[in-house]
Amino acid sequence: MSRGLGDVYKRQVLAGAVADGDAGGITRFVSWPLAGGAPRVIAALPAGWSAIDAQGERVAFERDGVVFLRPLEAPPGARARRLGEMSEGVHWPLQFSPGGELLAVGEREGRLSLYPTGEDPGAEPRVLGMPNPEEQFSPAFDPSGRRLAWGSGADRSVTVWQLDDPPDADPLVLRRPDAGQTKQALFHPSTDWLAVMLGSTVGIWALGQPRVRVIRRHQDRVTRLAFTPDVRWLLSCAPDGIGYGPLEAGRSPANGLLVDEYCYGGPALSPDGRRMLFGKPGGVPLVSLPEGVVRPLDPDHPQAAVSTVAFDPSGRRAATATTYSEAKDKVLRIWDLETGTFRSLSLVPPGEPEYDFYDWGVWGLVWTPDGSLIAAGYG
């Protein structure tokens, strides 16, 4: 993928699993030119866990308990590089480090292998481990790639490894014994804060001084988290609304919720931190910050069951995508926020019949630094 300025905003990549008779399934990666044109399939891989690096250049995938690495757009007949075989098969989603130098692969028994993805085909993985990993807690790198977090629901804990420490250094173990759940960690992009979803509450640790702060904003289960760019606030998404909790103790909005509408997908923040998008059944609200003024992004063309939203690096475009809806509503929209117009892309891969599975769709959207868009989901 070229990184020249002429290529910015010219392509979008979608990953979706499609049943393929007795073969068990294939994951097709489909590319659309954002300026218009027909989509094309750029890769077809065995169904199972897969991940694209942040640069949009390589894809890792699992087949029969073996993990492979290859260019996303490989020439015909090219062979994928074998990284390693899992003793119990892959159970957690594959995770690239932000720079793409490592691939994290977690297994059921608590083994966490970090595979180097460089040119040396004989490089051995670094192996970490902890007991009782939580099935819904994927390993998470911090933005620098120097820290890695993994959680245990049974032990009510999060283990944080400092990857540039000596190999025999003990990890940091953060505990909250009263937590109902321990799911999903989010590192702040520029500081030592770590936020963890703990059922209906959010635990926040300053990693230099690991004493948990608990922010109580919701009556329902928290599903998504996001930091504001100025490092001052943490957004939390739940069925009862969006919480807007300060990282500084003693500062709080009067009612604890910024928006009291159902938050189904998101939230996503613009790069300047002044706008927020989130998905709900039947629409995408656009919120001005910090005032909390809400207006619909799509009053004339509401989008059903929006599960994920994302701003592009410039803040001028946004993407919204669906799941849990009828096949005709399963679309990815690319919005021009300055004009309020959008382009719709069908999530059904080209050449496939319009199958009508209700619960498939897109659960994640990420814009890469060069302006490409990666969408991932299941079904």
Side-chain angles (χ1 to χ4, degrees), residues 19-378:
D20 190 32
D22 295 334
I26 340 177
T27 298
R28 286 182 173 86
F29 295 85
V30 182
S31 174
W32 286 268
L34 288 182
R40 65 188 179 92
V41 176
I42 60 175
L45 302 172
W49 291 122
S50 59
I52 300 173
D53 66 12
Q55 294 71 38
E57 297 174 347
R58 296 174 299 172
V59 59
F61 62 97
E62 174 260 336
R63 181 176 62 203
D64 298 328
V66 180
V67 180
F68 297 89
L69 179 71
R70 53 159 273 183
L72 181 58
E73 294 192 69
R79 297 187 62 182
R81 173 181 160 191
R82 184 183 186 277
L83 292 182
E85 183 173 350
M86 304 297 100
S87 58
E88 294 293 333
V90 177
H91 189 73
W92 279 261
L94 310 181
Q95 300 285 342
F96 277 101
S97 61
E101 304 92 349
L102 296 172
L103 179 73
V105 180
E107 299 179 64
R108 290 182 177 89
E109 75 275 15
R111 174 188 168 101
L112 182 59
S113 299
L114 303 181
Y115 287 93
T117 62
E119 297 299 325
D120 182 3
E124 292 293 323
R126 179 179 176 183
V127 179
L128 309 173
M130 69 171 201
N132 306 314
E134 167 61 42
E135 291 186 8
Q136 298 185 44
F137 196 127
S138 298
F141 287 95
D142 80 344
S144 73
R146 295 194 298 268
R147 287 192 178 110
L148 180 65
W150 206 15
S152 170
D155 296 338
R156 275 42 169 200
S157 67
V158 178
T159 299
V160 181
W161 289 272
Q162 186 76 33
L163 299 180
D164 51 7
D165 275 354
D168 59 350
D170 290 332
L172 177 66
V173 180
L174 308 172
R175 301 184 185 278
R176 187 173 163 220
D178 62 325
Q181 298 173 323
T182 304
K183 297 182 179 179
Q184 190 175 340
L186 176 68
F187 287 97
H188 189 273
S190 59
T191 72
D192 288 337
W193 292 100
L194 175 69
V196 180
M197 296 190 312
L198 303 167
S200 62
T201 64
V202 178
I204 302 178
W205 280 270
L207 295 178
Q209 298 177 334
R211 180 176 61 86
V212 66
R213 249 191 88 211
V214 179
I215 294 182
R216 304 182 188 279
R217 292 284 179 272
H218 299 280
Q219 300 299 315
D220 289 299
R221 181 171 60 90
V222 177
T223 58
R224 303 280 181 93
L225 298 173
F227 285 104
T228 58
D230 62 7
V231 198
R232 297 172 55 196
W233 300 85
L234 177 73
L235 298 170
S236 51
C237 173
D240 60 354
I242 296 178
Y244 195 48
L247 296 181
E248 293 180 36
R251 298 187 58 195
S252 177
N255 64 357
L257 290 177
L258 175 68
V259 177
D260 61 0
E261 297 186 38
Y262 192 115
C263 180
Y264 180 61
L269 290 163
S270 62
D272 63 7
R274 298 182 60 84
R275 292 173 297 170
M276 176 179 69
L277 286 170
F278 68 96
K280 67 176 186 178
V284 181
L286 180 65
V287 185
S288 61
L289 298 176
E291 302 83 6
V293 178
V294 182
R295 69 174 179 85
L297 179 63
D298 51 357
D300 299 324
H301 307 88
Q303 190 174 5
V306 175
S307 54
T308 184
V309 295
F311 285 92
D312 80 350
S314 73
R316 298 192 302 270
R317 295 189 183 191
T320 61
T322 59
T323 190
Y324 288 114
S325 60
E326 297 180 8
K328 64 181 180 63
D329 295 321
K330 292 188 187 298
V331 296
L332 172 63
R333 288 184 178 179
I334 309 296
W335 290 85
D336 183 326
L337 297 176
E338 295 179 352
T339 64
T341 58
F342 64 88
R343 179 183 174 209
S344 286
L345 305 173
S346 172
L347 297 179
V348 179
E352 293 293 328
E354 295 222 0
Y355 49 102
D356 194 11
F357 298 119
Y358 183 78
D359 60 351
W360 65 271
V362 171
W363 282 105
L365 290 168
V366 176
W367 292 88
T368 62
D370 70 353
S372 301
L373 177 67
I374 296 172
Y378 67 89

